Amino acid sequence: MTIFSELSKGMADAVEAASESVVQVRAARPVSGTVVGDGLILTAAHVLPTDDVTVVTAGGVRWGAVVAGRDPATDLALLRVPGLNLPALTVGTAARVGELLLAVGRPPHGVQA
């Protein structure tokens, strides 16, 4: 196995492991969010001009969400989704400058507004 095929397999494994913890956040426009705790989702603050937010899971289930907090300085927002029971995304080690990083998102393809 070459180093590139090992890297490719590792990335595919990481995406598969993370997929259940990544949701689509629907507000002004769709964006991804990450489950960080029990019913808590971290997402971008700039896409939440109002508090009318819906979260769509990998299985297509829609949940109403409440904006629990915003930090415009870091462009982060925390959503609370009562009853949402998805695993929080965990990271094994901290990334170092110069290391490869993999971003996982949930695009809006095939999902109607």
Side-chain angles (χ1 to χ4, degrees), residues 67-79:
V67 178
R70 300 173 195 254
D71 182 12
T74 59
D75 191 30
L76 293 175
L78 187 65
L79 305 176

Side-chain angles (χ1 to χ4, degrees), residues 20 38-39 63 81 83-87:
E20 200 175 348
D38 188 26
W63 295 78
V81 184
L84 183 69
N85 188 19
L86 294 176

Side-chain angles (χ1 to χ4, degrees), residues 11-36:
M11 290 173 64
D13 290 346
V15 169
E16 185 178 327
S19 67
E20 200 175 348
S21 302
V22 178
V23 298
Q24 185 183 100
V25 176
R26 302 289 227 30
R29 61 180 177 247
V31 67
S32 296
T34 303
V35 179
V36 294

Side-chain angles (χ1 to χ4, degrees), residues 3 8 12 19 21 26-27 32-33 43 50 52 56-58 64 66 72 76 80 84 88 90 92 95 98 103 106 112:
I3 190 167
S8 179
S19 67
S21 302
R26 302 289 227 30
S32 296
T43 192
T50 69
D52 183 23
V56 183
T57 65
V66 176
L76 293 175
R80 185 173 307 282
L84 183 69
T90 58
R106 182 135 334 264
Q112 298 295 320

